Each structure stands twice: as structure tokens, then as C-alpha cells.
Amino acid sequence: MQRPCSKRSSGSATGCGAPLRLINLSSICLLSMSLLRPVRSIRLKIGLVFGVTFFLGFAGAAFYVFNRVKDVLIQQDNRSLTERAARLSERTSIYPLVIPLPERGEVLSLWYTVGRFKKRLYMSPRFPARNMVHTGMALVPSDTFQLASFVRNADDGYGKLTTVVGRSNQPLTRQLQQIGWLLAITLLMSMTLSGLGAWWLSGWLLRPLRAIIDSARSVNRAEQVTPIRAPNTGDELQELADTINDMLARIRQAVDTQHNFFAAASHELRTPLSILRTEIEVAQREAINDRERLFLASQLAELRRLSRLVDDLLAMSQLRAGTLQLRPERIELDDLTLLLTERYHTSINQRQLYLSVRLDETAPSLTVLADQDKLTNVLLNLLDNAVKYAIPNTQLDLSILQQHETIVWSLANRTNSAVPDPNRLAREFYQADARHDGYGLGLWISHQIVRLMGGTLTVTATEGWFRTTISFERQTGQSPFGN
């Protein structure tokens, strides 16, 4: 083991920089999940269902209306063209030959038929090549023209006069296209407005549920079992909030009962445990044989382990109840750390570990404002974990540095057991490796105590290294936490 360096005699913090943080695949996946999360919301589902339903309904109605309008316009255009053919036929005469001229945009064809004899009396230059006389139909579409025919007896009483009038169907086609585009634009605008309306309406309807979610989330963040605010809506949402509050009340009663039991049991057990430990220590000094001394040493170790558990349970109950008393004072963090490493000298040697201590020589002071007894317990717990879980014949890296206005205490050790989720170590009764002694309370208690003293405790596990870090803001005035 390396001897702990004296104050200001170890390596400085020059050249130590923050590691470069790279965006890995997990962060990209988390970002993608956060972007896709709104897709699973009830509000968006309501908007999508309402929009799709409205689109299908309106699209069907628009298609039906368009076809009806199309049929009506085509019928009106055909009727108008047929009436035009009848008027031109009435103005036509065979003897003498009188042929009316078509209007602009019209084409005209006149045929005189007697038996099998057919004679063309007149045909416009742009008249379609198809001859309606041979079709026998009153209305025939031809190229871009719509043709209508009218047949009547000729004036001579022998033959028949066939009048064929044609008109371009492009104006009607353009009119139908305009109507179609108008319906399509109306459909898109209506669907957009209906979607926005459904989004707003669903948000308004789900506002009480959002309030329930926010209240429940704040309860989870605060780690307290407090009632959530129930909306005064008189519907299922209010019933849901009341049911959740009843459930939370039962949970709070169970938690309070548990904390009261832990506190009462801890207080009651501390005195007999202290008496038993004292009596065993006194008995060890008596003239006893080696076998009895070994037996008493084993009993004393078990009593000490049981005493630590009782102290942890008492601290947990006080932290949960908010009754833990703190006495802030100015502490030289480097001196306290060196003193504690001296106490762990034997344990470090027994595990064949090497301790490297690095202090920031450029910092004017490494003084923090904290409760010395509580901070000592926290540092001892972190040192004990590092020694317990470190790989033999490896090095422990301990450093105290000043970064801007923050003093950072850091301890890292090599480990061969992977920690899949280091953040879970801050939960009570959680152990990453059940093969070691302990009850999973040390890191949780340390985390809560450091938080009450105005600092932060973080744990990280990367590439075989496990690191615990405590950060304190430099304090020059009053304590940030209560007495």
C-alpha cells in the first residue's frame, strides 16, 4: 500500500480534464423513444380516429355529391344540345333550301334521306368524321365533341331531315374538374379543422387526467405518499382520482406503520445490544482460554454487524420521517479523508490493495459545510464498499479536486462484477452482489444524507471501474440545510 500523501504534498489537478462524452447507441434509442412516445397518447389516438372517421365519411359523401352533380350537368348539357338541334331543324327548309348557320363553337351536319337514298345538305368544316346518321342514336360523344341529332319529316312529305349539332365538351370537363378540386380542397380543410378540433377537444377532456398524472408523478419524485388533487368533474376521472387517493392513504398508513416499527425497534434494540457488546468486550479481558476467546470474538463480530443494521434502520426511519438532525460546521475535507484512510490501513493491506490519494494543490481551500459525524459515516461507508468489492492486487484511486465552485470527492476501484444499472444502488435494500455481507442500505442512506447536506452523490460503472463521487458547492455563508 502507498502511504497516504500529506496535505498538499501529492499530485496536483493539472492536466486532469473532464472525459469526452460521446453519444452512444443507447442515448439515440432513448431519444427515439421520447420522440415516439406521443404516438401512444390517448389524445393523439382520439385525434387520429376522429380524423380518419371524418375523412372516410366526408370522402364518401363528396364522391356521391360529385357524381350526382356530374350527372345533372351532363343531363342539362345533353338536353340543351338536343333542344338546339330541334330548333335548327325547324329553321331548315328543303324547298327552297334554307340552312341556318351554327353559332360560334358549334358544328352542324344536315342530311336528307328518302328510302335508301342519302344526301348531305351541309356539314361544318370541323365536324367529326363519325356520321351519326348511321348510328341511330340521339346522343353520341365523338372525340372532344358531344353530338345530338334530331329527325323530322321533310317539307316535301317524302323524305326525312336529320339535323346533327355538336358542341365541344371541354368546358363541361373543366367545370367538373373545378368542382372536383373544390371538393378535394374542402375535404382537406375540413379534415384539418376537424383534426385540430379533435386535438383541442380531447386535450380539454383529458385535462383532469393529465392533472392526475402530474400529481402522481410529483408524489413519485418526492418519495412521499401524499394525496393527489382530484378534479371536480363528477365523472369517471374524479372517481379514478378518489380511488387512487384511497389506495395512497392505505399505502401511507402501511409505510408509516413500517417506519414507526423500524424506529421503535431500533431504539429498543440499541440498548441491549450495547450492553451485550460491552459485556463480551469485558469478558474477553478476563483470564479465559483460547477457545472461549475465539467464541467471544465471533459473538462480538455478530453483535457489531447487528448494531450496524439497527443503526441503519434507525437512520432510514429518521430520513423517511424527516426527523434526522444535522449540525453543520466547516470541515477540512482533505484532513478528514486522510484520517479515515489511516483507519482503513489494515483492511486495505489485508485485501492486498494499493491506495492512491490525489489532492488539488491549486485549490485555496478544500473546506465544506457539513455535519462531521454524518459525513464521516458516509465516507466510511464508501471506503468500506470500495475495499469490499475491489479486485485484490489492484489500486484504489481517491481524489479531492476543486472544479469551478464545486469540491469533488471521488473514489474508484476495479471490479470484476458488472453493475447493469448503477442508479439502482441508491435504492434501499438493493444489493448488486448478494454474495457479500450487507443489507443494501448504506448507499441509500449516504445518498439521502449527502442530499440533505446540500451535496450530490453519484455512482458510475464503466469498463470494469466502479466510481462514487460526492460534490459539494463551495459555501461561504450560512448552511444550505436546516439544523
Side-chain angles (χ1 to χ4, degrees), residues 412-434:
N413 63 278
R414 298 282 297 182
T415 177
N416 54 9
S417 58
V419 181
D421 188 3
N423 294 326
R424 295 184 62 184
L425 295 175
R427 303 177 184 176
E428 62 267 48
F429 300 108
Y430 176 78
Q431 285 183 285
D433 190 354

Side-chain angles (χ1 to χ4, degrees), residues 66 170-184:
F66 177 77
Q170 291 183 356
L172 179 60
T173 303
R174 287 194 295 267
Q175 187 177 8
L176 291 175
Q177 289 178 351
Q178 292 176 357
I179 295 175
W181 280 110
L182 179 61
L183 289 176

Side-chain angles (χ1 to χ4, degrees), residues 67-82:
N67 287 331
R68 293 293 298 171
V69 170
K70 178 181 177 181
D71 294 339
V72 170
L73 291 179
I74 292 176
Q75 291 176 4
Q76 289 181 352
D77 187 73
N78 293 337
R79 186 182 302 110
S80 174
L81 192 61
T82 303

Side-chain angles (χ1 to χ4, degrees), residues 124-146:
S124 299
R126 295 186 299 113
F127 196 88
R130 188 174 182 179
N131 191 352
M132 287 192 61
V133 178
H134 303 289
T135 62
M137 299 175 60
L139 295 170
V140 174
S142 178
D143 298 333
T144 59
F145 285 86
Q146 182 73 11

Side-chain angles (χ1 to χ4, degrees), residues 16-157:
C16 61
L20 180 63
R21 295 181 178 177
L22 300 178
I23 300 178
N24 52 19
L25 182 61
S26 60
S27 61
I28 297 177
C29 294
L30 291 176
L31 179 61
S32 302
M33 292 176 62
S34 63
L35 292 177
L36 293 176
R37 188 174 294 115
V39 179
R40 300 192 298 268
S41 65
I42 298 177
R43 185 178 184 182
L44 187 57
K45 290 179 181 178
I46 294 176
L48 289 176
V49 171
F50 190 86
V52 171
T53 304
F54 183 85
F55 174 78
L56 294 177
F58 192 87
F63 182 75
Y64 174 78
V65 170
F66 177 77
N67 287 331
R68 293 293 298 171
V69 170
K70 178 181 177 181
D71 294 339
V72 170
L73 291 179
I74 292 176
Q75 291 176 4
Q76 289 181 352
D77 187 73
N78 293 337
R79 186 182 302 110
S80 174
L81 192 61
T82 303
E83 292 175 354
R84 176 65 177 166
R87 288 195 300 268
L88 291 177
S89 178
E90 294 295 333
R91 291 165 55 185
T92 304
S93 176
I94 303 297
Y95 301 103
L97 183 60
V98 178
I99 299 175
L101 296 178
E103 295 181 353
R104 185 176 182 180
E106 289 183 345
V107 292
L108 177 63
S109 176
L110 296 174
W111 294 84
Y112 179 70
T113 305
V114 178
R116 295 183 179 181
F117 174 75
K118 299 180 180 64
K119 182 180 180 180
R120 185 177 64 184
L121 302 179
Y122 176 80
M123 180 177 288
S124 299
R126 295 186 299 113
F127 196 88
R130 188 174 182 179
N131 191 352
M132 287 192 61
V133 178
H134 303 289
T135 62
M137 299 175 60
L139 295 170
V140 174
S142 178
D143 298 333
T144 59
F145 285 86
Q146 182 73 11
L147 304 177
S149 66
F150 183 82
V151 181
R152 70 177 179 86
N153 294 326
D155 297 337
D156 56 5

Side-chain angles (χ1 to χ4, degrees), residues 143-352:
D143 298 333
T144 59
F145 285 86
Q146 182 73 11
L147 304 177
S149 66
F150 183 82
V151 181
R152 70 177 179 86
N153 294 326
D155 297 337
D156 56 5
Y158 295 102
K160 291 185 178 181
L161 179 65
T162 302
T163 305
V164 181
V165 180
R167 185 185 300 163
S168 175
N169 56 13
Q170 291 183 356
L172 179 60
T173 303
R174 287 194 295 267
Q175 187 177 8
L176 291 175
Q177 289 178 351
Q178 292 176 357
I179 295 175
W181 280 110
L182 179 61
L183 289 176
I185 293 174
T186 304
L187 173 61
L188 293 177
M189 294 181 61
S190 301
M191 186 177 64
T192 302
L193 293 177
S194 64
L196 294 177
W199 178 266
W200 177 85
L201 181 61
S202 59
W204 179 75
L205 293 175
L206 295 175
R207 189 179 303 170
L209 182 59
R210 172 56 58 184
I212 294 174
I213 294 174
D214 293 339
S215 299
R217 188 171 295 166
S218 64
V219 170
N220 186 32
R221 286 197 301 265
E223 297 184 353
Q224 296 177 356
V225 184
T226 56
I228 63 177
R229 186 177 59 184
N232 189 17
T233 56
D235 54 8
E236 289 82 357
L237 293 177
Q238 183 176 358
E239 183 180 358
L240 173 63
D242 294 337
T243 304
I244 293 177
N245 284 332
D246 294 339
M247 180 184 65
L248 291 178
R250 292 179 62 86
I251 293 175
R252 182 173 184 176
Q253 181 180 4
V255 171
D256 291 341
T257 303
Q258 182 186 37
H259 291 167
N260 294 335
F261 170 77
F262 283 154
S266 301
H267 279 291
E268 294 296 329
L269 289 174
R270 293 183 73 184
T271 300
L273 289 176
S274 298
I275 295 174
L276 289 174
R277 187 171 59 183
T278 302
E279 292 178 350
I280 292 177
E281 290 175 350
V282 171
Q284 282 184 322
R285 301 189 186 99
E286 301 292 335
I288 57 178
N289 54 40
D290 294 338
R291 181 179 178 182
E292 293 174 344
R293 186 176 289 107
L294 182 61
F295 174 77
L296 291 176
S298 175
Q299 296 299 314
L300 184 60
E302 293 298 324
L303 279 175
R304 288 173 178 171
R305 190 167 67 91
L306 188 57
S307 297
R308 286 195 300 269
L309 174 60
V310 170
D311 293 338
D312 289 343
L313 292 177
L314 179 60
M316 184 187 70
S317 301
Q318 292 175 341
L319 288 170
R320 286 295 192 185
T323 58
L324 185 67
Q325 299 295 321
L326 299 177
R327 294 181 294 274
E329 57 181 304
R330 299 177 66 86
I331 301 172
E332 295 290 339
L333 188 58
D334 48 353
D335 290 343
L336 177 61
T337 301
L338 294 175
L339 178 62
L340 297 180
T341 55
E342 287 289 348
R343 291 174 54 179
Y344 262 83
H345 182 277
T346 303
S347 299
I348 293 174
N349 284 338
Q350 290 177 351
R351 292 279 296 173
Q352 298 178 354

Side-chain angles (χ1 to χ4, degrees), residues 395-463:
Q395 179 173 293
L396 304 178
D397 292 334
L398 194 154
S399 63
I400 306 176
L401 306 175
Q402 178 179 339
Q403 298 178 358
H404 303 291
E405 296 299 321
T406 304
I407 296 178
V408 179
W409 187 97
S410 178
L411 178 62
N413 63 278
R414 298 282 297 182
T415 177
N416 54 9
S417 58
V419 181
D421 188 3
N423 294 326
R424 295 184 62 184
L425 295 175
R427 303 177 184 176
E428 62 267 48
F429 300 108
Y430 176 78
Q431 285 183 285
D433 190 354
R435 295 173 298 178
H436 292 82
D437 294 335
Y439 300 94
L441 290 174
L443 274 179
W444 181 83
I445 293 175
S446 300
H447 173 79
Q448 298 298 324
I449 290 177
V450 171
R451 181 179 60 84
L452 291 177
M453 292 189 296
T456 57
L457 188 150
T458 58
V459 294
T460 56
T462 54
E463 298 180 355

